[in-house]
């Protein structure tokens, strides 16, 4: 029987969902059809920060719970951090490069952009970190899909000198050649779960959970769990830019997780950056502990300044 995979209708969402569909068919032999779902976030031009957490996933989850689709693919960073009582993340496929990317006119890097250059991005996290660099750039909040953002720099009606966006989306759309610089996480720490996908189904669909588990990548799941655990612990009353990046690497006594986290004031003047290490089995605890470290170091004062 053909499985119905719910997806947003953007080019990137369709590309990501087709990748998952093809991988599932290759692993299990089950055919998959894509079902396009329009979300409230797709119908609005408002900044994502104003729309709220979960705006891109609510319609997909409603379709899942109504039995209109069998499973859904989300950009993991779009999911609320709290678990849904009736839904289950059955697989986290291997992660694409989680770093941010710069696409600038004339092949310029961030440091090469002249003072006063206009640079566009939609994320408050990126805006704050760009301001923190002190490069005298004019940061412009923008929305839109990957293609429309790139067009604002490289298109015939370009009105920006550069844009910053997730490298993962650019790569999945086959446009990596247009990236002029992949930004070092020491300069621009990514969003929690950036570059990762979440494959979600109903919690009581045990047969499908088992089937989808063929797509799960344990190191990616552990890294994302650590990052999102940090975010969840910080999230109450938090509208400040929060960033996190976890890596799983081989250590002296087996695999280890190295988690870096940051909370930055929106104006970029103040930032608290800390790190923690541990084992993949303790991913959630590492994230929570790092969040507590950040709060102990005064992150709550940065978060409170944005409320």
């Amino acid at each position: 029987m053909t499985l119905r995979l719910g997806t947003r209708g953007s080019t990137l969402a369709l590309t990501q969902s087709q990748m998952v569909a093809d991988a599932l068919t290759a692993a299990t032999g089950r055919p998959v059809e894509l079902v396009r779902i329009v979300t409230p976030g797709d119908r609005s031009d408002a900044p994502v920060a104003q729309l709220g957490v979960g705006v891109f996933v609510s319609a997909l989850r409603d379709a899942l719970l109504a039995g209109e689709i069998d499973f859904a693919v989300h950009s993991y960073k779009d999911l609320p951090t709290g678990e849904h009582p009736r839904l289950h993340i059955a697989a986290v496929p291997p992660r694409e490069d989680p770093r941010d990317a710069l696409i600038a006119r004339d092949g310029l890097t961030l440091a090469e952009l002249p003072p006063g250059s206009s640079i566009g991005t939609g994320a408050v996290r990126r805006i704050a970190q760009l301001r923190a660099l002190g490069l005298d750039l004019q940061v412009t909040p923008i929305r839109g899909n990957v293609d429309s953002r790139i067009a604002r720099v490289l298109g015939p009606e370009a009105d920006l000198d550069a844009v910053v966006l997730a490298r993962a989306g650019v790569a999945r759309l086959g446009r990596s050649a247009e990236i002029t610089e992949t930004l070092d996480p020491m300069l621009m720490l990514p969003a929690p779960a950036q570059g990762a996908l979440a494959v979600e189904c109903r919690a009581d669909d045990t047969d499908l959970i088992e089937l989808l588990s063929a797509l799960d990548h344990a190191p990616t799941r552990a890294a994302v769990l650590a990052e999102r655990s940090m975010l969840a612990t910080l999230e109450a009353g938090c509208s400040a830019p929060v960033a996190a990046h976890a890596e799983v690497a081989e250590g002296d006594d087996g695999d280890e997780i190295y988690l870096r986290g940051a909370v930055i004031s929106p104006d970029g003047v103040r930032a608290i950056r800390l790190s923690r290490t541990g084992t993949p089995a303790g991913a959630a605890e590492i994230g929570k502990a790092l969040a507590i470290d950040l709060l102990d170091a005064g992150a709550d004062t940065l978060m409170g300044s944005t409320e």
Side-chain angles (χ1 to χ4, degrees):
M1 190 173 68
T2 299
L3 294 168
R4 300 163 299 169
L5 192 170
T7 176
R8 293 173 59 199
S10 71
T11 303
L12 178 56
L14 290 169
T15 299
Q16 293 176 162
S17 295
Q18 191 63 58
M19 288 169 48
V20 171
D22 292 344
L24 186 62
T25 300
T28 68
R30 291 289 294 273
V32 179
E33 65 171 336
L34 301 190
V35 179
R36 299 189 191 193
I37 306 290
V38 178
T39 76
D42 298 317
R43 290 191 291 263
S44 174
D45 292 326
V48 175
Q50 292 181 16
L51 293 174
V53 176
V55 68
F56 293 116
V57 305
S58 57
L60 288 168
R61 286 180 153 182
D62 289 344
L64 257 180
L65 294 171
E68 297 166 6
I69 57 176
D70 300 304
F71 66 112
V73 173
H74 310 286
S75 289
Y76 212 149
K77 65 182 176 61
D78 293 337
L79 284 177
T81 52
E83 290 188 11
H84 194 292
R86 296 171 57 194
L87 299 175
H88 178 70
I89 305 299
V92 184
R95 188 182 207 171
E96 185 63 68
D97 190 331
R99 293 176 294 176
D100 284 310
L102 179 81
I103 296 178
R105 61 174 177 82
D106 305 323
L108 298 174
T109 65
L110 195 60
E112 291 169 343
L113 285 169
S117 294
S118 57
I119 183 166
T121 181
V124 291
R125 169 191 59 82
R126 295 190 187 112
I127 292 171
Q129 292 186 90
L130 284 169
R131 288 171 174 164
L133 296 175
L135 295 177
D136 191 23
L137 301 171
Q138 301 300 314
V139 183
T140 301
I142 61 172
R143 268 206 68 188
N145 59 39
V146 172
D147 292 330
S148 66
R149 294 187 193 203
I150 294 176
R152 295 191 64 173
V153 177
L154 304 180
E157 299 179 4
D159 62 340
L160 296 172
D161 295 304
V163 291
V164 178
L165 60 175
R167 181 183 172 89
V170 180
R172 288 180 178 134
L173 292 177
R175 303 191 67 172
S176 297
E178 291 164 295
I179 294 172
T180 56
E181 183 181 9
T182 299
L183 299 176
D184 189 323
M186 296 299 288
L187 297 177
M188 182 76 66
L189 200 63
Q194 185 161 298
L197 301 177
V199 184
E200 188 174 53
C201 66
R202 290 179 291 277
D204 59 1
D205 196 342
T206 54
D207 290 341
L208 184 55
I209 289 173
E210 183 176 355
L211 198 71
L212 293 172
S213 68
L215 304 181
D216 196 57
H217 185 244
T220 296
R221 182 182 281 268
V224 169
L225 177 58
E227 293 167 9
R228 283 172 55 84
S229 176
M230 188 201 89
L231 179 65
T233 306
L234 290 172
E235 197 167 39
C238 171
S239 56
V242 174
H245 180 219
E247 296 178 282
V248 178
E250 186 175 343
D252 294 335
D253 300 312
D255 284 349
E256 292 182 345
I257 285 184
Y258 174 58
L259 173 64
R260 284 181 285 173
V263 177
I264 312 101
S265 63
D267 59 9
V269 171
R270 294 186 295 159
I272 299 172
R273 303 173 187 270
L274 297 171
S275 64
R276 277 257 180 177
T277 59
T279 65
E285 290 72 22
I286 296 166
K288 182 177 180 179
L290 182 55
I292 292 171
D293 290 344
L294 288 164
L295 291 169
D296 287 346
D300 54 334
T301 64
L302 304 192
M303 292 186 282
S305 68
T306 66
E307 291 178 350

